[in-house]
Amino acid sequence: MGQEHPLNSSKESSSKESANLLFEVQSLIDSYSKGRYSFPTYLNFNMYILQQAKFSADSEKPCELLVDGTQKSLLKMRLLEFEDSDIPSIKGYLVLSFKDKTKLAIPLNCANCLVLKELFKVQGCNLDRIYSRKSSLAVDWIKSNVDTVYNSEASRRDKVDEFYDAEHLKINNEIRRILAKEPALKSINIIDGGCGNGKYINAAASTFNETDVHLAGFDFNESNIEQAQSKYSDKGTFIKGDLLKFQEVLDQCAHVLDKNAPTFMVLSGSLTRLVLTDGFQALKVLQGFANSDFADYLVGCGVGEPLINRHIAKQIGYRMEPSATTASELFSCKKMTQEELIEQKLKKLEQYNTLDLSLYHNPTALLLNQQLLKHLADDSNIDLSFTTLTPELINRIQLIIKEKPKVKLIFWHNKMDQLQEFYDLFPEENIKSLYYARDEHFLGTSRWFNSAFEPYLSDLSGHFVSSKFSDFYIKNLLLNSKNERSVLHNLIHLSNVFGLGNWVFNNTNVLKHIKNEKFHNTSAQKRNELVNSAVKEINSSNFELVIHILESLNLINSITEPELYYLLNASKQDQYQSRIYSSDLICKTISATKNREDRVIESLKFYTRDFEDAYRNLINLVKNISLDTPNEVHNSLEELVFWVIKNWSNFEDVEHLIKILEEFKLIDPQKDLVIYYMLAFFKQNPDRRTGISSEASLHNEKGRLIEALKFYDERHHDTYLQVVTMLVGSQWQKEFDFLAIQGQHQRLIRELSHSYYPEFKIMELLPYLNADSHIVFSYNWASNSLEIQRKSDLWDVNARAEVDVKLQRLGFTDTAIADIINPFQFSDGTSDSLFIPLKEEQVQLLLADLDKVKTRPEKNILESAFYQPLIALPSDEFDDEEQSTVVNRVPTFFGSPQKSSLYDDNGMDDYARLGVTREQAHSLLIQNIQDIQEHLTPLINEKLLDKQFLEYLNTKQLSPQNSPLDNLTSQANQFASAPEIIQGYIDYEIHDRKSKTAVIEPMLFEILQDLINKTPKLG
């Protein structure tokens, strides 16, 4: 087989790495949290840059990414890694530049940043460290000479000398490379700006033997100049001078320079933050070079990263040489000719309709250039950022505006007074962008910082500016925001942070102008997105302001978003401040909603009778929403009911909400058993409302069913059983098993396991929870048997279930288990144990079982015969009549007229509600015993599980004597239909029951109600 070509292998590897990077980027786009991100300007950071050619598998095809549902072509990626962030969750940003001129800034945590940095490096990114010392203080080089600074640590001096020796060699090699391209040059000038003690001049003097070299160096530290003169006066001329006053330097050393030779400005460490305060000082230095006749080339390096990059060099009139791959290692620039400069400006003017004169030292000269003016359109932009407003420039601009009234001006500057002056000089309608700039805005290519991040809105604080300028400045910032969402969030942020809420309220005309400029053609979908994003910013201090902003921008009104106005009014009611509807809670709740549908339903949590009509209107909105998403709305409403039961202080309000939901047919008494059971339970047990779990566990039906089953009341036993049936019918029985074993529902446990034992064992988890275990299992070495000891006083169904499960795990058959268990009884007050002989393989199983963590045996609870008559689920196997029969097997108390008894108490007992005495009720049932026999049999079947009832039957000599319980219950159906047993049940429930409570079993209550209605004398 032929070997794969290395080039093909390399391409495949590169393609795979690109795919990994783009996959990571797309994942970040999909998962990042949208917000208002301003860049922390005080932080040092490194910037890693990847052009499209380096991350695209096919350089001819654009790289497509999905952003907010739209495919976008990616042109460039920048990774900004903070060196020392005080925000743990943000280690940097990934800034994506797209073909449609939009940018996306994604915040990164430490892990994301580390992964991306490695992927960037694999793809061969460029590193720009121009921002890495932004917070560093420059050394006071006037007071401190080179020796003082570098000798502060002995080891540091060696490293610095070693670094600069290597960098001086690189600089000289670069100059030699340039000279090799122009062999006609026989003479050159080299000026060392910030020469220190003259080491570079000494090195350069012996490097260029074939060329006539004129060497000069300057430094503003006298001690440095004295050292240089004493050591190397024979190699060059050294003078005291300042980089910021370059023309004065030239005047002093012009006599040693060749006016006809090109001049190389060497900047080895001087164009950095260790010497200059910031990038703006560096700009002034570079503008001084560009404005002179003695700075044809700029070559340099530095311990601190030089404050120059390709963008800056191009704007001041230099072209970065190709050999300079990264400015942090070495920069090399050549001044453009006038023709090259004009060509560059024309290209941008034609492409972007912008005459970009920013950073240029003499913009007036370019505004007089006829070739540029010829291509300047009536509506072109003129960018004058970071230029000096000379009288000549001002006059020239005013003339252009007169000739072209629609021309727009851009002016960014680092001095607020210059911005104020610019605003005062030119008409507002001609100013497109006015911005107080920082270091990164000046240094960043095409001002990508401001197109990627939100602007700072506190720039006016601490500056004395006119109110007219202030209003225009804020309006201009808002209008120049990236998109409608940015405008909206900047407005909210403006008043939030800096207390300018009054400005927003008072400047109606500004908001109207912003609406007309930015929101005049907003689609319904976009409007919803904007409102949803604004709602997330609501808090108790800005709620009214946010509503005002949304209303002013024509994004909401009281007809389309009544829930917002309802909640605003509710939050302003002082009477609620001490209740659950506090303004803070309302704002927290609404800001957490995902969409309008969610918001409307959440607003129902805050009911007040003062706004009854508005509240009912919200419920009507929910009904309309339910037409589109009935399941989702019903789920949310059920969750809402749980919330209000737990949180509303007035339970009458809870009942009122239920009745309104019924009225609008959003809930149904026959279907929403969980809601009505919870209502009934907490009506009678209000002190237990705090036991309802937090919202997190109530977001789905299963969670709410399980929550409801935590609260058992024997008075509503049948309904509770229906809720169990719902849980089991959804195959969530394991969760119920876990609840049951906590011992809160002992009667229910007996009913579900006792009569149908051993076929159905809801207690099969019990043996694996030591705290609730009734039985202690151990291995008896002497007799080679399983020893079972009781922990409880009675050999009850729970203990039997535990033994049954244990024996099943050891391989005993059901018949063998019955033979072992049925004859055995633990005696009260004794320490009897049960010994079960084991085979060898059973011994091994037992030992392993006792040692390991127990897990629940796999058993489908739906296979139990007990549940077959209870599970009333729709089925294709039944016709309507049969289905109705199945449903009727389930107790239907809440489907009856008597459901009101659950929440209409008024202190009346069940007999008083029926309008009869206990004796009358007993007599009525006995008289109609044959008619009601069919209805009573299921009740008696259940009652046969009750130990007290069985004892009652024994005392009445109505049950077989000495009959094991299992034999009795296995004949339950036949036994329950016997006339004497039916009469015994009626006597027990109505007449002879020891507990004299006035509560009637729900189904018996219903039977009595029906008999009363049919009996004229009683009805």
Side-chain angles (χ1 to χ4, degrees), residues 627-639:
L627 296 176
D628 296 326
T629 56
N631 293 335
E632 290 82 352
V633 171
H634 186 271
N635 183 72
S636 298
L637 287 175
E638 196 172 89
E639 184 180 351

Side-chain angles (χ1 to χ4, degrees), residues 892-944:
T892 55
F893 177 65
F894 280 109
S896 72
Q898 281 69 43
K899 65 181 175 63
S900 59
S901 68
L902 287 173
Y903 52 89
D904 196 16
D905 184 63
N906 296 325
M908 299 174 65
D909 64 32
D910 286 348
Y911 295 101
R913 288 196 190 91
L914 291 170
V916 297
T917 64
R918 188 188 293 267
E919 288 70 24
Q920 286 176 320
H922 180 265
S923 176
L924 189 61
L925 291 169
I926 295 297
Q927 291 171 11
N928 294 275
I929 196 167
Q930 290 185 344
D931 296 332
I932 62 177
Q933 176 178 342
E934 182 180 353
H935 300 291
L936 288 179
T937 300
L939 299 181
I940 298 172
N941 243 327
E942 291 182 15
K943 209 64 181 176
L944 289 173

Side-chain angles (χ1 to χ4, degrees), residues 104-142:
L104 177 64
I106 301 175
L108 304 172
N109 58 32
C110 289
N112 297 145
C113 197
L114 182 62
V115 169
L116 278 179
K117 184 167 73 170
E118 293 305 312
L119 290 171
F120 266 55
K121 288 180 176 180
V122 169
Q123 296 298 112
C125 63
N126 292 329
L127 172 61
D128 190 348
R129 301 190 64 210
I130 199 168
Y131 312 93
S132 64
R133 297 175 188 265
K134 284 171 46 176
S135 59
S136 300
L137 295 175
V139 177
D140 188 349
W141 291 99
I142 296 178

Side-chain angles (χ1 to χ4, degrees), residues 18-27 55 63 65 74 77:
S18 297
N20 290 339
L21 172 60
L22 294 174
F23 177 82
E24 185 70 24
V25 171
Q26 183 66 65
S27 299
F55 60 75
C63 176
L65 292 174
L74 183 63
M77 291 190 277

